[in-house]
Each structure stands twice: as structure tokens, then as C-alpha cells.
Amino acid sequence: QADLQAGTTTCKTLVQHYIAQIQAKQNLNVFLEVFADEALQKAEALDAKLANGETLGRLFGLVIGIKDVICYKGHKITAASKILAGFESLFSATAVERIVTEDAIIIGRINCDEFAMGSTNENSAYGNVLNAYDTTKVPGGSSGGSAVAVQAGLCHAALGSDTGGSVRQPASFCNVIGVKPTYGRISRHGLIAYASSFDQIGTLTNSMEDAALLLEIMAGNDAFDSTCSSKEVPSYSSQLQVENKTKKRKVAVFKEALHHPGLDAEIAEQLQQLLAKLQAQGHEVTTVDFPYLKHLVPTYYILTTAEASSNLARYDGIHFGYRNAEAKNMEHTYKLSRTEGFGKEVKRRIMLGTFVLSAGYYDAYYGKAQKARRLISNTTESIFKNYDFILSPTTPTTAFAIGDKAYQDPIAMYLADIFTVQANLAGVPAVSLPLFKHSNGMPFGCQLMANKFAEEDLLCFAADLMNDK
């Protein structure tokens, strides 16, 4: 913005630069659609606005991509699925309306795992997204396309969605900042549902300042979403300008996480070094017991697949999107359209969700998982009565090779979410910070969780860690 105000660049120049970058890096398969003409028109209008001395929006000049599960009126949205082929959104998500009002420029819609189901971005009907650091590796998921868009310099920032780590895990794999706010902090109106009690729109950025400003603008009450909080939205961006280093924090670390058998030894070692550094700076770092770590992933997958089986029932080949042309009757239309329209992972989760909700299994699985969620949520809440933050690795490993887990061992892929799903189960905010690099050349992140609606503290402490990097 300073460069725009000084006249050393223009919005049009920025958009032209990003369009050229997207074309040059098409092999990464990040964008499903680029709104090139529209973005250039918006850029020219913003340049004229500046020249005329008009009041500028707080996101003036920000070029942003949106994940293909977030609605933008008059534009296609597919959730990276064949079943929504050709569908055009009739309205914009509240989050999109708010950033557009503040003069952001939306440059395109971004590839992702189909219906946001996956941790590798290998489940898209439109092909894999590749990690720009190493194109043989996955970028993470389901917001892997959004992470690579920022990582590879294809836009300033990107919006993603986070159901169990879908913003933070790709942020870790791609060396960018990923923020998942408190459940209900940002309206879900216009976000295609995967699991409604878990989903939350999040941001992928290169700076904490951009993340704080985007959150500040998108957050807040919305009449279109009954689960959206009416709590006042603090000025997150201005708080980042305040010097916070003198404030000493209380940080909890799970003993079970540090010594988890699936945790890469080098990730554990670098995390220990960070903890020692925090202690040396005067912060209180305490190892605490969290007996439910092994229950997080099973609880998460039972509940999210149950919600998915309900949410995805509407995609039936009748109302909109893909329909099998050979079907002879209504039942045949349902069967063939859903069989051909959904990908393998989505069908797996629908079937699992339908099973755990079925008569005879509901109490054994779904009912029990709801009780486990309550225990996890209560325990998390009690930890935050004594500590400001919970610190952990974002992921147990660095980015793995394409085809390693999604095709060979889906359970191993699900376990990659072991450190991220707690924030969604408990509804608390979390951020992944790009603080580390592995000897294998790949980046990995550190995750911070805070109490519900404590984003202000979380972002400030995260900014301090980034500045100390």
C-alpha cells in the first residue's frame, strides 16, 4: 500500500505481474480459473480511485485467491468435484463480500481436495496441486492450492477453509502462515459445507499483518449464519503494532505430543530448541498431560464423516450439477450421478458417515464420539484456565511424496492430522507459523492454539515468534 500511495507501482501492474506468474507456473495446477479480465478492470478502477483522492478500502491493492469451496456471485464454484461441474454461484459468501467491500482484488478460484476432504490435495477432480518447493511432494490439504498460491508468489494472500487442519497443515508443508479462527468468528455463509460444526474460513499469508487485517475485516456477526458469534471484533491489525515482547506468556506443551512415535525426530528436536529459547526469554513453558491425544483423530473422523454424509445428500443429480444422461428413473439417476460425480475419498467418507449414523451403530460410534468431543473440549478449556497457549508441531512430518499415503494407506494420511484436529474439535483458534526447515530441505511449522476468541493474544505472540525467526 505504501508503494501504491507513493506511485512506485499500480494495482494494474500488480495484477499483471500475478497473472504472468500464474501462467509461468501452470504446472503447479493451483488455479482452476483465473479472473484475469475482471481483476484488471477492478485494478484500473482502484487506480482511478487513488488518483481521484477517494477514500480507499483497508485491503486496497491486495490481490487474493479464494478456495473453490467459497462462493463468489456470478462465478463458478465446484468444490473441486465433478458433481458440481458448470455450477455458478447465485450469491457471495459473507467473507468474500467483506473483503471486496474493502477493495481487495480477487484474482481467481483455487484448486483443493474435493469437498475439502483430504490432507494432500490429491483428491481434486481437476488433478493434484504440486508443492513449489519440490514438485514430487504434496502441498498438504485440503487448502493446498491456497498455500501454494501464496508460497509460489501467485497472489498476496489466499482464503482457505479449515475443518481439521486444512489451512494449517498445508501452511506447514508450504512455509506460509495459516490461521484458523475460533469457530463462529467468521461467518460460514457461502462456504460449501463439509462438516458444519467444524468448518471455518481461514487465511494463508506471508505476513502476520496481512492475516490480522483479513481476520479483522471478515470476522463479526452475520444474520445469514446462526452459528456466527456476535462478539465484538477487536482491531487485530493495530494490536500487532504494539510492543508485546515484555509480556511473559504461559505456554503448555503436551508430553504425549513431544514423544509421539509418529513424530519425526528432527521436528521434535527443533521444537525442543524453540521451547528452550522461549524459556530463556522468560516465558513459562510447562509440559502437561493430555490423555486424549490418541482419541482425537478417531473422534474427528467419526463426527466429520457423519456430518458430511448429511451435508452431501443434496448432491443428487436432480437439483444442479452433474447428472448421468443414461439414467432410466429417479433411483438410477441418484445412483449413477453420485457414483460418477463423487471421487473415491468423498465416497469413502460418505459411506463411513452413513454407517456410523445407522441404526444399531449410532450409539456405539456417533454417540460415543460426541461424548469424547465433549471431554476433549472441556479438557482443552481447563488447560486455558492456567495457560495462554498450547504449542505443538503443526504436522508430525514434512511434506511426503505424491502417492505415498492417499493411495497406499488412507489411515496413515488421516493420522497426519493428529496435532491439528484438536482446535476444530474444541472450536478454538490456532495458527501455523513457518519457523523451521528440515535437513531434507522441506519446511515445517509450529502450531499455537489459544482459548476461544483469544485471537488478539494469539496473533500478537505469533508475530513475536515470527520476528524472532
Side-chain angles (χ1 to χ4, degrees):
Q1 285 181 338
D3 288 343
L4 289 167
Q5 296 274 11
T8 56
T9 189
T10 65
C11 291
K12 186 176 180 180
T13 303
L14 285 171
V15 171
Q16 286 171 332
H17 164 76
Y18 284 125
I19 290 170
Q21 287 295 102
I22 292 166
Q23 288 172 341
K25 297 177 181 178
Q26 279 183 325
N27 66 307
L28 299 175
N29 197 31
V30 171
F31 279 87
L32 295 177
E33 187 179 1
V34 181
F35 310 143
D37 294 340
E38 185 184 313
L40 284 168
Q41 286 170 13
K42 175 81 182 272
E44 287 172 357
L46 291 178
D47 286 334
K49 199 173 179 181
L50 175 62
N52 296 335
E54 296 176 44
T55 303
L56 305 174
R58 287 178 288 169
L59 295 176
F60 175 76
L62 182 86
V63 180
I64 190 166
I66 57 174
K67 184 178 178 180
D68 191 37
V69 292
I70 301 171
C71 293
Y72 185 21
K73 187 177 180 178
H75 297 77
K76 288 178 182 173
I77 181 166
T78 69
S81 178
K82 185 180 175 182
I83 207 156
L84 273 173
F87 180 73
E88 193 174 284
S89 183
L90 303 174
F91 62 93
S92 288
T94 301
V96 168
E97 283 184 346
R98 288 177 180 176
I99 64 170
V100 168
T101 301
E102 293 291 346
D103 290 341
I105 302 167
I106 297 177
I107 198 164
R109 59 186 178 96
I110 294 175
N111 203 352
C112 57
D113 280 302
E114 185 182 4
F115 282 97
M117 296 182 191
S119 306
T120 63
N121 241 131
E122 294 170 280
N123 297 327
S124 170
Y126 305 101
N128 300 2
V129 174
L130 307 181
N131 193 316
Y133 274 105
D134 179 347
T135 54
T136 68
K137 300 286 197 295
V138 301
S142 62
S143 306
S146 298
V148 177
V150 178
Q151 172 201 44
L154 309 183
C155 51
H156 286 127
L159 297 187
S161 64
D162 193 309
T163 306
S166 286
V167 161
R168 290 159 289 145
Q169 188 245 24
S172 176
F173 283 1
C174 294
N175 205 43
V176 297
I177 296 166
V179 176
K180 181 207 89 77
T182 304
Y183 181 78
R185 182 75 287 191
I186 295 176
S187 169
R188 289 182 298 109
H189 175 66
L191 171 66
I192 289 182
Y194 160 20
S196 304
S197 72
F198 292 78
D199 298 338
Q200 190 61 200
I201 290 173
T203 60
L204 292 126
T205 61
N206 281 314
S207 75
M208 288 307 306
E209 289 79 7
D210 287 351
L213 187 57
L214 278 165
L215 176 58
E216 182 181 317
I217 287 164
M218 292 188 293
N221 191 31
D222 180 25
F224 292 109
D225 178 7
S226 62
T227 64
C228 191
S229 172
S230 56
K231 278 181 182 284
E232 188 182 339
V233 180
S235 178
Y236 302 122
S237 55
S238 62
Q239 282 303 309
L240 287 193
Q241 313 305 320
V242 180
E243 185 64 41
N244 290 293
K245 291 198 185 314
T246 53
K247 191 171 181 180
K248 300 309 172 192
R249 309 289 191 163
K250 296 176 77 174
V251 180
V253 184
F254 295 153
K255 181 177 69 180
E256 294 81 1
L258 283 178
H259 304 290
H260 193 273
L263 181 61
D264 178 278
E266 197 172 320
I267 291 179
E269 184 187 339
Q270 291 200 44
L271 199 75
Q272 291 281 16
Q273 290 171 8
L274 173 64
L275 296 174
K277 184 179 174 183
L278 290 174
Q279 281 184 310
Q281 290 173 348
H283 300 291
E284 184 183 319
V285 178
T286 309
T287 305
V288 300
D289 288 323
F290 185 72
Y292 305 115
L293 192 71
K294 65 183 179 183
H295 300 295
L296 293 176
V297 172
T299 302
Y300 168 80
Y301 275 98
I302 287 170
L303 295 177
T304 55
T305 55
E307 292 185 24
S309 100
S310 173
N311 279 327
L312 270 62
R314 72 193 72 175
Y315 306 104
D316 54 12
I318 302 290
H319 297 93
F320 44 73
Y322 176 79
R323 178 188 294 184
N324 179 280
E326 308 299 317
K328 306 296 183 203
N329 54 44
M330 186 183 288
E331 186 182 348
H332 211 211
T333 300
Y334 287 162
K335 282 184 178 178
L336 290 178
S337 300
R338 285 169 68 82
T339 300
E340 295 166 8
F342 287 132
K344 188 176 178 182
E345 181 62 26
V346 172
K347 285 188 278 197
R348 180 187 287 126
R349 297 194 193 196
I350 290 172
M351 287 190 289
L352 178 59
T354 306
F355 171 76
V356 300
L357 289 173
S358 60
Y361 295 103
Y362 183 96
D363 290 334
Y365 292 102
Y366 184 76
K368 213 171 252 184
Q370 287 286 30
K371 291 173 185 174
R373 184 182 193 180
R374 171 54 60 195
L375 269 176
I376 290 161
S377 188
N378 288 348
T379 305
T380 304
E381 203 172 295
S382 68
I383 290 168
F384 285 127
K385 286 178 181 172
N386 301 309
Y387 298 94
D388 299 310
F389 309 109
I390 297 169
L391 189 149
S392 72
T394 307
T395 51
T397 65
T398 56
F400 36 86
I402 291 168
D404 254 18
K405 297 194 178 181
Y407 308 137
Q408 305 299 328
D409 189 355
I411 300 299
M413 186 186 80
Y414 296 166
L415 289 172
D417 299 333
I418 189 162
F419 301 127
T420 55
V421 295
Q422 182 183 354
N424 302 81
L425 283 161
V428 300
V431 57
S432 177
L433 302 174
L435 298 181
F436 307 112
K437 197 161 192 182
H438 199 279
S439 60
N440 64 15
M442 298 303 290
F444 62 93
C446 162
Q447 178 179 255
L448 282 173
M449 286 185 279
N451 205 359
K452 288 179 182 177
F453 300 103
E455 280 89 351
E456 200 169 350
D457 276 352
L458 179 66
L459 296 175
C460 287
F461 189 58
D464 288 345
L465 291 183
M466 288 297 294
N467 292 334
D468 282 345
K469 187 178 170 184

